[in-house]
Amino acid sequence: MDNLPTVRSREWSRTAVQRDLEALVRENRFTIAVVFPIVGAVSLVASAESLLPAPLAYNPLVILFGTLVMRSPLIVGLLPRIDRRVLGWLAALTVYTYAIEVVGVRTGWPYGAFEYGIQLGPMLFGEVPLALPLFFVPLAVNAYLLTLLVLRERAANPAVRLASAIVAVVGIDLVLDPAAVAIGFWAYVPPGGYYGVPLSNYFGWLLSGTVAVVLIDLTFDRTALVERVRSCEFVLDDLVSFVLLWGTINVLYGNWLAAGVAGLLCLALFSTDRYDRDLLSAALPGTGRRN
């Protein structure tokens, strides 16, 4: 009983922090979900085309900071559903993410032979970005959450849910990889037929996506997760940022098929009924507080 006030104090503190973080994200939704990815796309293309001075071109701190800001709606949105059990499963997914990437860089399996063109921050073993889980794990989580919202009641069927989420993960990479190759993040040797990306890469993503989706499905209480995702209007804003960032880069480089897949992701987001005119109006600067 002596520890009860301490436990309650911790719960209150966590609730207060969560409330403040949610308010911060809500008040800055437009900046996070629209301004950051557009500015990011322009700056990355300018870096690739040697239009920025050396200190700014591909600046890893800027890249990591921008990525973290765009990930913030997803992280803040899921915080109430993260406990020790979830952290344990996410740790397993993080270890897997590093392991499969190191194997890929060293052996060319399962993605095909590739090499990083720039350093995306500190490199683990001098081979893969230390921040790799920040880049990959949210993509798989976004695909899973989008699937839950789009499928609605059909998501109760595990075969339908998992298969759809895996397809969504591969679809996300159909947008990501061509744009990343275009701006020099990494390159395949030899280049593949899909804007420089080989077919083997998508077999690799099918494998990685399957493992990631299954781990995510095991990680969360699906009922509680669906309730949270349906009640938190900004939780998928990270996917909006992704589509704007990498879709814009694909458009600028004429990767029209990849841009078309980004458009399909947009349609899937609109089908969730959370990105209508009223929500856009509420997300614009200066309107969120009044609403």
Side-chain angles (χ1 to χ4, degrees):
M1 293 296 294
D2 293 339
N3 293 329
L4 188 58
T6 301
V7 172
R8 287 179 175 174
S9 176
R10 289 175 181 172
E11 290 178 350
W12 182 87
S13 297
R14 175 168 177 168
T15 300
V17 169
Q18 176 70 32
R19 183 176 61 248
D20 291 343
L21 289 174
E22 288 184 12
L24 182 63
V25 171
R26 284 192 179 96
E27 292 174 4
N28 295 279
R29 283 187 73 188
F30 186 81
T31 300
I32 294 171
V34 178
V35 175
F36 261 80
I38 295 298
V39 171
V42 172
S43 64
L44 287 174
V45 171
S47 298
E49 300 300 321
S50 302
L51 299 176
L52 287 181
L56 296 177
Y58 296 127
N59 186 295
L61 292 179
V62 173
I63 292 173
L64 291 176
F65 174 74
T67 301
L68 184 58
V69 169
M70 289 185 286
R71 296 286 187 257
S72 61
L74 178 67
I75 296 170
V76 172
L78 293 184
L79 271 180
R81 295 294 175 260
I82 295 179
D83 53 21
R84 291 182 180 179
R85 176 180 175 279
V86 170
L87 287 175
W89 281 107
L90 290 177
L93 180 55
T94 296
V95 171
Y96 168 77
T97 301
Y98 282 130
I100 195 69
E101 192 76 0
V102 169
V103 170
V105 170
R106 292 182 178 179
T107 69
W109 183 90
Y111 305 107
F114 74 99
E115 55 188 22
Y116 283 95
I118 64 170
Q119 288 196 349
L120 300 172
M123 303 292 281
L124 183 67
F125 307 130
E127 295 173 304
V128 301
L130 188 62
L132 182 65
L134 179 65
F135 298 132
F136 173 74
V137 174
L139 299 182
V141 174
N142 278 323
Y144 185 79
L145 298 184
L146 179 65
T147 298
L148 295 182
L149 287 177
V150 171
L151 291 179
R152 295 181 174 87
E153 291 76 14
R154 289 173 293 173
N157 185 317
V160 173
R161 179 175 71 248
L162 295 178
S164 299
I166 292 165
V167 169
V169 170
V170 175
I172 283 173
D173 190 57
L174 285 168
V175 177
L176 170 63
D177 249 291
V181 168
I183 60 174
F185 268 23
W186 52 78
Y188 292 88
V189 185
Y194 180 67
Y195 305 115
V197 184
L199 183 61
S200 60
N201 173 69
Y202 295 102
F203 286 113
W205 268 76
L206 185 62
L207 171 63
S208 295
T210 299
V211 174
V213 165
V214 169
L215 287 176
I216 292 167
D217 197 59
L218 293 171
T219 295
F220 293 97
D221 178 325
R222 188 171 55 83
T223 301
L225 182 62
V226 169
E227 179 185 351
R228 175 59 180 169
V229 171
R230 287 176 176 170
S231 64
C232 183
E233 75 278 11
F234 58 74
V235 72
L236 276 178
D237 282 6
D238 179 36
L239 187 55
V240 175
S241 300
F242 172 87
V243 170
L244 286 176
L245 173 63
W246 299 105
T248 298
I249 292 174
N250 279 312
V251 168
L252 292 175
Y253 279 97
N255 299 340
W256 300 115
L257 184 55
V261 178
L264 292 177
L265 289 173
C266 282
L267 291 177
L269 285 166
F270 282 124
S271 74
T272 65
D273 298 327
R274 60 178 53 206
Y275 293 103
D276 55 18
R277 182 179 301 177
D278 291 338
L279 280 176
L280 178 61
S281 176
L284 288 173
T287 61
R289 294 180 183 176
R290 291 196 297 272
N291 291 337

